[in-house]
Amino acid sequence: MGGTTRAKYYAYRIGRLEAVIVPLKVQYKSTLPLTNPKAVVNQKYKAVLEARGFYPFFLMNFTSNLFNSLTESLLSHRRYIPAALTLCTGTSLSLAAAAVVWHGENQRMQAEFDRLADRLNVTLQQSINKNLEVLYSLEAFYRASTEVSRQDFKQFAQPALARNTAIHSVNWIRRVPAAQKAAYEKTIRAEDFPAFQIYERTPDKKQVKAKVRSEYFPIIYREALEEDNKVIGFDVASSPDRKTALEKSANTGKIAASARIRLVSNNQPGLQVFLPVPRPTNSPDNSVNGRQNLMGVIAGLFQITSMVDSSLESLNLDKINFYLYDNSAIEKEHFLVRYDSQAKQLIDNPKHEKPELANLRGKICKNPSACTRLFNVADRQWRLLVLPGKGYNSLRTHQGSLAIGAIGLLMTGSLTIYLLMSLERTAKVEQQVYDRTIQLKQRTAELETALKNLQEAQFKLIQTEKMSSLGQLVAGVAHEINNPVNFISGNLIHTGAYTRDLLELVEIYQQQYPNPTPEVQAKLKDIDLDFISEDLPKILKSMNMGAERISQIVLSLRNFSRLDEAEMKSVDIHQGIDSTLMILDSRLKQKADFSGIELIKEYGNLPLVECWAGQLNQVFMNILSNAIDVLSDAENQKRLKKNASDSAFLPTIRIRTELLSSNCVCVRIADNGTGMTENVKKRLFDPFFTTKPVGQGTGLGLSICYQIVDKHQGSLRCVSASGEGTEFWIEVPVRQQSKQSISKVLPAVGVNRF
C-alpha cells in the first residue's frame, strides 16, 4: 500500500469513527440517567462500536479498568504494605550485607596475599644475604691474615658449609699474570699436587691446558660437601658463563654474580658469586691501583633450589605459587625456578617459565606488576612473581558472606511473617503511636536544639580558653623580649637627640657667660663637663649597639630553633650555620686560659635546601661543640707539655660548603685537633658511646645527628686519623625524594691538614 493510499485509508477510518460517535453523543445525551451517565455512554459506545469493528477503543478501556481495579485492591490492602516493604528491604539489605562482607573477604585475602608475598620476598632476601655472608667472612679473613694456607681455608670454610646447605662449594681463585704462570704452577705442585697445571675444559668437558692469555684465574683452594680435587687448577676465566661476572668483579673491586648456570655435579640450576680480595696496601683506597692490586677472588657456587627451599621452611605456601626470574640476564635466560603449591616442590624446567595467565584474571592478582617483588643478589636484580594457586579464592573462603546472606534472608522472612500476623492487632493502636510519635519528635527536636546550643557554648568556651592562653603566652614573650628591646632602641634615639640639645645649650651658655659664678665653676670641675660631653655620646652609641646585639641574638635563636617552621621548607644552609656560630660565639673567643679558635668559612654557591632546618641546625651544633671541646683539650694538653715546638699551635675550625651534584649539597666541618683512632671511628655513631669523662657526655649527640641526616635521605661520615685532625661530611639532597634513594656522591676523601 503506497503512502497516499495509506493516508486516505486512515482518513476514511477516522471519518467513519466520528460519523458514528457524534450521533451517539447527541442521541444518548438527552436520554442518559442522572446517576451514572458515563457508564451508560460507555455501554452504548461499546455496543455500537463492537458491531462496527472498532476493537482498539475497547482495549484501551479494558486497560484503564484493570489499572483502576488494581489501585482499588492495593488501597484495600494497604495495611500489608509494611510487610511487603520489610520483605523487599530485608532482602535487599541481606544481599547488600553479603556483598559487603564478600568484598571485605576479598580485601582480606588480598591483604593476606600481599603480606605473604612480602614475607616471601624478605625471607628470600635474608636467605641469600645469609649465604653471601660466608663470602664476606672469608674476604675479611683474607684481609686480616698475611697468608692463608690451604688448611686455614678448610678450617674456616667447612663450618660455614655445614650451616648453609645452599652453598655447593667455596673456592679461592688466585689471579696469576701470564709472566708468573710457570712459577706459580711449580709452587702448587710442591703442595702435594704433583700434576697441577692451569687448565680449561672443552665443550665436551675434557681437560686441556689453558690457552695463552695475559692472566689466569685458577681455582687453588676448594671446599665443598662433596670433595672433588679435579677442579683444582681450573681457569674460571675460560668459562663463558662465569667470565662476565668474574671480569666485572675484578674490574670494579665489588661483588658480582653470574647468570643462571648448570652445576656440573647434579645438573641443578645455580649461580656463582665472586668477591675480590685486594692485596694488602697502605693506601686508604684499595681500588687506587685497580686490577693490578687484585690478589684473587673468593667464589661461592650456590644451588638456587636449595637457597629457595631453605627459605620456604618457615612459610605456609598452601595454594600459593611463585616464579623467580633474573632481570639482569638476557630475556631467554630470565627464568630461574618456580614453585608449585599442589606438588609442593620447586621446578626448574624452563618449559614452565611462563606463568598461568588464567590466575592473573582473578581478584587477587589482576596484573603481574601487582604481584611482583624485586630484590638484589650481589649486583644482580631478581624478580619474584607470586600468584594464587587453584582453590585460593574458592567458595569456602566466602562462607562468612554466604552465611550472612542466608541468615539475613531467614530473619527477613521470619520478620515478614511476624508483621503479617501482628498488623491486624497493631492497626487499633496505630493512631496512639502516631500521636506519641509526634510528641516524641517534638521533644527530640527540643533536646537536639538544646544539645546543639550546649555544644556551641562548650566550643566557644574552649576556643576562648585557647585564645586566652595563647594571648597570655604571646603577650608575655612580647613584653619580656620585644618590648624592652624596642623601648630601649626607641628611647636611645630620643636620648641621643636630647643629649645633643643639652650639650649644645651648655655650649651656648659657656659662650654667653664665659665667667660663671664660683659655684658653677666648682660644679663644672666636679662633674668634669668636658669628659661628659665626650663620653656621653659614646655611652649612648654603646647602648644602641647592645640593643642591636640583643635583637640579633633573639633572631639567631629563632633561626636556630625554627619553632615556626615545623614542616619541611626550603632554607638557606649558610644562615643556619651562621646562627649556630653566633650561639657558640662565646666559646670561640679568646679567654684567660684559652687562646681562642680561628674560624675559616669557605662557603660555596648553594641553592635553597628542602629540609627541617631546626634539626639540621642541631647537627651543626653537636659537631661544632665537639670540635670546640677537642680543640680546648688539645690546647690544654700542649700547654701542659710546654714544648717549644707546640707553641705555634693555633686551634682552627674550617667550614666548607659545596654543591656535589644537581641534587646534593655537602657541608664539611674540619678541625686540626688530635683526631681519633680506628676503634673510635668504628663506634663513633653508636648510641651512648663517648670518649669524654663520666658526667661530661651522654654519647647521644652524634647518634642523633646520624639519625637526623638519615631522615633527610643524606649521609653523615667522618674522616679522621690519629694526630691529623677530624673532618665530618654532611651530605643532604637539595630536594627530598620519597620513592627513590638519593644518589650518593662519593668523592675522594682526604684529611684536612692545617
Side-chain angles (χ1 to χ4, degrees):
M1 185 183 293
T4 305
T5 305
R6 187 183 294 110
K8 291 180 179 180
Y9 172 76
Y10 288 152
Y12 165 76
R13 298 291 290 180
I14 293 172
R16 185 181 174 196
L17 181 61
E18 291 178 348
V20 174
I21 293 176
V22 172
L24 283 173
K25 288 183 178 180
V26 175
Q27 177 182 355
Y28 292 103
K29 185 175 182 181
S30 59
T31 60
L32 289 175
L34 297 177
T35 55
N36 193 0
K38 182 177 180 182
V40 175
V41 171
N42 288 338
Q43 291 177 1
K44 296 298 182 180
Y45 285 170
K46 179 179 180 181
V48 175
L49 293 175
E50 278 183 351
R52 300 193 180 186
F54 288 94
Y55 298 104
F57 176 81
F58 299 107
L59 182 60
M60 294 170 58
N61 191 20
F62 173 77
T63 304
S64 177
N65 292 335
L66 180 61
F67 177 75
N68 292 334
S69 63
L70 290 176
T71 303
E72 292 176 358
S73 177
L74 289 176
L75 291 175
S76 63
H77 298 85
R78 62 183 180 274
R79 68 177 61 183
Y80 300 108
I81 292 177
L85 292 176
T86 301
L87 179 62
C88 296
T89 304
T91 303
S92 301
L93 291 177
S94 299
L95 295 178
V100 170
V101 176
W102 184 288
H103 179 68
E105 289 171 341
N106 284 335
Q107 289 185 331
R108 178 183 59 79
M109 285 187 293
Q110 180 68 58
E112 179 68 18
F113 179 82
D114 292 340
R115 183 192 64 79
L116 189 59
D118 292 337
R119 185 180 174 189
L120 175 61
N121 182 65
V122 172
T123 304
L124 287 174
Q125 182 71 79
Q126 291 176 347
S127 176
I128 291 171
N129 291 342
K130 178 183 176 183
N131 287 284
L132 294 182
E133 282 298 327
V134 176
L135 303 186
Y136 285 109
S137 300
L138 274 172
E139 190 262 351
F141 180 61
Y142 266 88
R143 286 179 176 269
S145 304
T146 56
E147 184 66 28
V148 177
S149 65
R150 191 178 303 275
Q151 185 65 24
D152 294 337
F153 187 86
K154 181 177 182 180
Q155 291 179 354
F156 192 92
Q158 279 188 345
L161 291 174
R163 293 191 301 269
N164 299 273
T165 58
I167 303 178
H168 188 267
S169 66
V170 178
N171 305 318
W172 166 243
I173 300 174
R174 184 79 178 194
R175 176 183 173 270
V176 180
Q180 303 175 10
K181 177 176 177 296
Y184 192 76
E185 288 177 340
K186 184 177 180 181
T187 302
I188 300 301
R189 291 191 190 104
E191 297 179 3
D192 295 333
F193 291 93
F196 175 82
Q197 70 171 353
I198 300 176
Y199 71 92
E200 60 185 54
R201 293 191 183 101
T202 61
D204 55 355
K205 307 301 181 181
K206 292 183 178 180
Q207 297 182 5
V208 296
K209 185 177 181 181
K211 298 178 182 178
V212 177
R213 284 188 287 272
S214 61
E215 58 182 359
Y216 302 87
F217 287 89
I219 297 177
I220 305 303
Y221 301 159
R222 180 182 186 272
E223 289 299 326
L225 297 178
E226 299 177 359
E227 294 186 1
D228 184 9
N229 292 330
K230 295 181 180 180
V231 300
I232 302 298
F234 173 65
D235 185 8
V236 180
S238 65
S239 176
D241 53 357
R242 294 171 172 83
K243 182 178 180 181
T244 302
L246 176 63
E247 290 290 334
K248 183 176 181 180
S249 176
N251 291 332
T252 62
K254 298 180 181 179
I255 190 170
S258 68
R260 168 178 165 153
I261 60 176
R262 283 288 175 179
L263 302 182
V264 178
S265 60
N266 54 15
N267 201 32
Q268 292 293 320
L271 76 156
Q272 193 155 20
V273 181
F274 300 96
L275 183 62
V277 177
R279 298 181 185 277
T281 176
N282 295 326
S283 173
D285 187 356
N286 288 332
S287 64
V288 171
N289 296 326
R291 187 160 178 158
Q292 300 300 322
N293 193 39
L294 183 66
M295 180 171 63
V297 179
I298 296 173
L301 191 60
F302 300 91
Q303 185 170 325
I304 297 178
T305 54
S306 298
M307 293 174 66
V308 178
D309 192 41
S310 62
S311 305
L312 304 182
E313 297 177 355
S314 61
L315 299 175
N316 182 14
L317 296 181
D318 292 340
K319 302 178 182 179
I320 294 293
N321 302 329
F322 67 82
Y323 294 76
L324 204 59
Y325 301 95
D326 184 359
N327 282 355
S328 301
I330 59 178
E331 184 175 359
K332 65 179 182 180
E333 297 181 2
H334 276 184
F335 177 75
L336 297 175
V337 72
R338 67 178 287 261
Y339 176 75
D340 189 349
S341 59
Q342 288 186 327
K344 295 187 180 300
Q345 65 179 358
L346 293 167
I347 302 174
D348 63 336
N349 190 351
K351 295 181 180 180
H352 302 285
E353 64 175 331
K354 297 295 184 181
E356 299 179 10
L357 297 180
N359 292 337
L360 300 181
R361 302 191 188 104
K363 297 291 184 181
I364 300 298
C365 192
K366 296 181 180 179
N367 55 74
S369 61
C371 298
T372 299
R373 303 293 187 274
L374 300 176
F375 60 94
N376 295 325
V377 178
D379 63 327
R380 306 185 74 85
Q381 185 185 73
W382 282 12
R383 173 166 56 93
L384 176 67
L385 177 60
V386 186
L387 301 176
K390 294 182 179 180
Y392 185 82
N393 193 13
S394 62
L395 289 177
R396 296 183 59 185
T397 60
H398 295 286
Q399 293 178 353
S401 57
L402 296 176
I404 288 176
I407 293 173
L409 292 176
L410 179 61
M411 293 179 63
T412 300
S414 302
L415 183 60
T416 302
I417 295 174
Y418 174 78
L419 286 175
L420 290 174
M421 295 173 60
S422 62
L423 279 175
E424 292 291 339
R425 185 178 55 213
T426 58
K428 298 179 181 180
V429 297
E430 204 172 57
Q431 188 62 37
Q432 296 179 1
V433 172
Y434 176 76
D435 295 338
R436 293 181 181 179
T437 302
I438 295 297
Q439 296 176 2
L440 181 60
K441 287 183 177 180
Q442 292 176 352
R443 293 179 181 178
T444 302
E446 294 175 357
L447 290 175
E448 288 179 352
T449 303
L451 179 60
K452 183 178 180 181
N453 294 335
L454 179 61
Q455 290 176 345
E456 291 179 356
Q458 184 180 10
F459 179 75
K460 291 180 180 179
L461 179 61
I462 293 174
Q463 290 297 110
T464 302
E465 290 296 328
K466 287 183 178 180
M467 295 304 297
S468 176
S469 300
L470 182 60
Q472 292 177 4
L473 178 61
V474 173
V477 173
H479 177 73
E480 294 296 333
I481 299 177
N482 293 333
N483 284 348
V485 174
N486 294 336
F487 175 76
I488 294 172
S489 300
N491 286 340
L492 283 176
I493 299 174
H494 301 294
T495 303
Y498 297 158
T499 302
R500 289 193 300 271
D501 294 340
L502 290 175
L503 292 177
E504 290 175 359
L505 180 61
V506 171
E507 185 178 356
I508 293 173
Y509 266 100
Q510 288 177 341
Q511 293 175 0
Q512 296 295 330
Y513 301 97
N515 298 317
T517 62
E519 295 178 356
V520 174
Q521 290 181 356
K523 187 63 177 178
L524 291 175
K525 184 176 180 181
D526 185 30
I527 66 176
D528 196 355
L529 180 61
D530 293 336
F531 176 75
I532 292 176
S533 300
E534 181 181 355
D535 192 51
L536 186 56
K538 297 180 180 179
I539 294 175
L540 294 176
K541 183 177 180 181
S542 176
M543 293 172 66
N544 190 25
M545 292 175 61
E548 292 179 356
R549 177 64 175 171
I550 294 174
S551 300
Q552 292 177 358
I553 292 175
V554 172
L555 179 60
S556 297
L557 289 173
R558 181 179 179 184
N559 290 335
F560 174 77
S561 61
R562 297 280 183 172
L563 297 177
D564 57 341
E565 297 181 6
E567 299 295 332
M568 182 177 289
K569 294 183 178 180
S570 296
V571 298
D572 184 1
I573 291 293
H574 296 154
Q575 186 181 16
I577 297 174
D578 292 338
S579 300
T580 306
L581 290 173
M582 179 169 288
I583 296 173
L584 297 172
D585 185 62
S586 60
R587 300 186 62 188
L588 297 171
K589 292 182 178 179
Q590 182 177 2
K591 300 176 184 177
D593 57 345
F594 184 56
S595 62
I597 299 175
E598 181 183 0
L599 184 64
I600 301 175
K601 294 192 290 186
E602 299 176 354
Y603 289 170
N605 187 14
L606 301 184
L608 296 180
V609 177
E610 185 181 11
C611 64
W612 288 278
Q615 297 183 12
L616 276 188
N617 290 341
Q618 184 179 355
V619 175
F620 301 149
M621 173 67 77
N622 287 336
I623 294 177
L624 288 171
S625 297
N626 288 342
I628 294 173
D629 293 339
V630 169
L631 293 176
S632 300
D633 294 341
E635 186 174 15
N636 291 336
Q637 293 176 4
K638 293 186 177 183
R639 184 183 295 109
L640 293 175
K641 292 180 180 179
K642 294 182 180 180
N643 293 334
S645 59
D646 295 335
S647 59
F649 174 71
L650 178 60
T652 306
I653 294 178
R654 184 189 303 273
I655 303 176
R656 179 181 302 170
T657 63
E658 56 184 328
L659 184 64
L660 297 182
S661 67
S662 60
N663 194 41
C664 184
V665 298
C666 177
V667 179
R668 298 164 57 181
I669 302 175
D671 64 74
N672 60 340
T674 57
M676 61 184 72
T677 62
E678 288 297 327
N679 292 332
V680 174
K681 284 177 60 178
K682 291 179 181 178
R683 303 185 58 191
L684 189 60
F685 300 110
D686 293 346
F688 305 107
F689 173 75
T690 179
T691 58
K692 296 180 181 180
V694 178
Q696 295 186 14
T698 62
L700 293 174
L702 290 179
S703 176
I704 294 174
C705 292
Y706 188 88
Q707 295 176 8
I708 291 174
V709 176
D710 184 69
K711 179 181 178 182
H712 284 78
Q713 300 184 8
S715 64
L716 174 62
R717 49 199 175 96
C718 174
V719 179
S720 180
S722 181
E724 297 183 357
T726 302
E727 184 175 24
F728 284 90
W729 289 55
I730 307 167
E731 300 177 11
V732 294
V734 177
R735 294 289 179 270
Q736 296 293 317
Q737 300 179 9
S738 59
K739 295 184 179 180
Q740 300 179 1
S741 61
I742 299 175
S743 60
K744 306 298 181 182
V745 179
L746 300 176
V749 177
V751 179
N752 266 0
R753 302 179 183 274
F754 293 87

